[in-house]
């Protein structure tokens, strides 16, 4: 550079590009002059700017750069934090997806290995999904949807029940028997509502369990139980019934008289006991034979039982002797009842 502004301009005219630091009027300035060819003539074009203004502009620019730098740092930090959060969320989502996959596989294994016909119906009662047991049970192998009522006609009886499940959102359970594949079979049906995001029932999970074997065993056990009860009742009646006359025997009388006596005592009621035999019964046996005597005993027993109330205990005491227990009867009424039997 030259020693003065004049030298700077002279150098510019000679084709030099100069930057000059000088003082003018006590103000430090920086001038830049370059040569320019305009209309065939060489001109010196320059600009002079006070040094303080340049420094001030540089400070403003530096501060601006600092702000931009801080903003970029903050933005990078925010992006880093956001990345870490997204990464953490992704790990959580991936973990949950793995767990969901495991649960889906578990549920799939469970559903495919249970002895239930499991299927899902939509609102039109069409089959959306089903397990292998249902396919074997129903013979359904189509990929498309089909009405459960067309596939299994006996399910038509439960159309209204499905409607209740869809409308109320409450599980339903029922058991039934039907003729299926040529034989009577027994089933249990459970309907479980499946809700959508709107809280409405969108599908129904259905489980059909065949209990034919168990039901047949149950019916067989019931029949055996009833037969056993009849046998026991027969044996009990046999044990307390006189074989010849068909009325209660001495054993039953002996057991019941104690109970009847205790009841009468606790209730402060009368209780009468009448003992009777047949006059000249030995003569009948001796002259007409024991068969005739047995016939007489039968007729007498039938007669006594027929004219007395059911509340009276009538039993054959032994031989030609009979006992009659009369609850609520005092001595006078018992004598009157004895006279009625004798007169009849």
């Amino acid at each position: 550079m030259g020693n003065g502004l004049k030298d700077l301009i002279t150098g510019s005219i000679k084709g030099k590009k100069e930057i000059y630091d000088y003082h003018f009027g006590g103000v430090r300035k920086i001038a830049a002059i370059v040569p320019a060819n305009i209309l065939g003539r060489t001109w010196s074009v320059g600009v002079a700017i006070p040094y303080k203004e340049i420094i001030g502009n540089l400070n403003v620019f530096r501060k601006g750069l600092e702000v931009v730098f801080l903003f970029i740092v903050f933005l990078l930090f925010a992006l880093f934090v956001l990345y870490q959060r997204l990464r953490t969320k992704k790990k959580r989502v991936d973990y949950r997806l793995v767990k969901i996959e495991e649960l889906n596989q578990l549920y799939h294994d469970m559903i495919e290995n249970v002895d239930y016909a499991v299927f899902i119906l939509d609102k039109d009662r069409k089959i959306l999904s089903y397990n292998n047991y249902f396919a074997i049970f129903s013979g359904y192998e189509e990929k498309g949807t089909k009405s459960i009522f067309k596939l299994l006609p006996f399910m038509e009886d439960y159309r209204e029940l499905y409607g209740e499940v869809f409308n109320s959102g409450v599980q339903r359970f029922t058991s039934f028997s039907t003729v299926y594949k040529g034989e009577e079979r027994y089933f249990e049906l459970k309907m479980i509502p499946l809700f959508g995001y709107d809280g409405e029932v969108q599908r129904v999970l259905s489980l059909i369990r065949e209990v034919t074997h168990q039901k047949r065993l149950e019916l067989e056990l019931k029949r055996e139980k009833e037969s056993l009860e009849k046998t026991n009742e027969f044996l009990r009646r046999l044990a307390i019934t006189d074989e010849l006359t068909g009325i209660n025997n001495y054993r039953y009388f002996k057991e019941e008289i104690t109970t009847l006596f205790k009841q009468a005592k606790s209730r402060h009621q009368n209780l009468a006991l009448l003992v009777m035999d047949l006059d000249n019964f030995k003569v009948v046996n001796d002259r007409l034979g024991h068969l005739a005597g047995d016939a007489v005993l039968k007729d007498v027993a039938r007669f006594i039982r027929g004219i007395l109330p059911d509340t009276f205990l009538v039993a054959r005491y032994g031989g030609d002797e009979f006992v009659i227990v009369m609850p609520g009867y005092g001595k006078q009424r018992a004598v009157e009842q004895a006279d009625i039997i004798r007169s009849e």
Side-chain angles (χ1 to χ4, degrees), residues 48-309:
I49 301 174
Y51 182 79
K52 288 183 177 181
E53 186 174 335
I54 292 174
I55 297 302
N57 289 337
L58 288 175
N59 288 334
V60 171
F61 181 69
R62 180 179 58 81
K63 291 180 179 179
L65 286 177
E66 291 177 353
V67 172
V68 172
F69 176 75
L70 290 175
F71 175 75
I72 293 173
V73 171
F74 174 77
L75 182 61
L76 290 175
F77 177 75
L79 290 174
F80 176 75
V81 172
L82 180 61
Y83 169 76
Q84 291 295 330
R85 289 183 178 178
L86 290 175
R87 186 181 178 186
T88 302
K89 286 184 178 180
K90 184 178 182 301
K91 288 182 178 180
R92 291 176 180 173
V93 171
D94 290 343
Y95 175 78
R96 290 176 181 175
L97 288 176
V98 171
K99 289 299 180 183
I100 290 174
E101 179 98 19
E102 292 176 353
L103 286 174
N104 285 338
Q105 186 62 43
L106 178 62
Y107 293 149
H108 178 270
D109 294 341
M110 289 173 59
I111 291 175
E112 287 298 332
N113 289 284
V114 296
D115 293 334
Y116 289 80
V118 182
F119 57 97
I120 296 176
L121 301 182
D122 63 10
K123 289 185 176 181
D124 295 326
R125 316 306 189 256
K126 291 184 178 180
I127 303 167
L128 297 180
S129 180
Y130 55 91
N131 68 346
N132 186 57
Y133 190 92
F134 176 80
I136 297 173
F137 169 75
S138 64
Y140 185 61
E141 297 179 354
E142 299 180 19
K143 294 183 178 179
T145 58
K146 186 174 183 179
S147 171
I148 186 65
F149 306 122
K150 292 182 178 179
L151 180 63
L152 300 174
F154 65 82
M155 292 293 288
E156 183 68 38
D157 295 337
Y158 306 99
R159 183 185 290 271
E160 292 185 4
L161 198 59
Y162 271 107
E164 292 180 10
V165 176
F166 273 103
N167 294 330
S168 66
V170 178
Q171 295 185 17
R172 290 290 186 269
F173 175 84
T174 186
S175 57
F176 60 94
S177 64
T178 186
V179 176
Y180 184 59
K181 295 184 178 180
E183 63 176 330
E184 185 177 20
R185 296 162 71 172
Y186 298 84
F187 301 97
E188 292 177 346
L189 171 62
K190 188 171 186 179
M191 307 172 186
I192 304 173
L194 302 178
F195 298 88
Y197 292 108
D198 57 358
E200 298 293 328
V201 179
Q202 301 297 329
R203 299 173 178 82
V204 171
L205 173 66
S206 302
L207 299 93
I208 296 180
R209 178 189 178 208
E210 183 169 3
V211 292
T212 301
H213 180 67
Q214 297 91 317
K215 191 66 177 179
R216 288 174 179 171
L217 287 177
E218 180 182 329
L219 293 174
E220 183 63 26
L221 288 174
K222 183 178 180 181
R223 285 192 291 267
E224 290 182 1
K225 180 182 178 183
E226 291 175 352
S227 176
L228 183 60
E229 288 176 349
K230 289 180 180 179
T231 301
N232 289 336
E233 177 62 20
F234 172 76
L235 293 175
R236 189 188 72 83
R237 293 297 306 172
L238 190 62
I240 64 174
T241 303
D242 180 63
E243 183 178 359
L244 176 63
T245 61
I247 62 175
N248 294 316
N249 59 15
Y250 172 75
R251 176 181 179 181
Y252 182 75
F253 164 74
K254 186 177 179 181
E255 292 175 353
E256 286 295 306
I257 188 61
T258 303
T259 302
L260 292 173
F261 179 77
K262 289 181 178 179
Q263 288 180 352
K265 185 177 181 181
S266 63
R267 297 172 183 175
H268 303 288
Q269 294 177 345
N270 292 325
L271 181 69
L273 174 62
L274 176 64
V275 181
M276 58 175 287
D277 63 0
L278 303 181
D279 294 340
N280 302 317
F281 181 71
K282 187 175 183 303
V283 176
V284 175
N285 274 336
D286 292 342
R287 292 183 177 180
L288 302 178
H290 288 285
L291 290 179
D294 290 345
V296 171
L297 291 174
K298 291 178 183 179
D299 289 340
V300 171
R302 189 181 305 111
F303 164 74
I304 297 173
R305 181 69 276 178
I307 66 171
L308 296 177

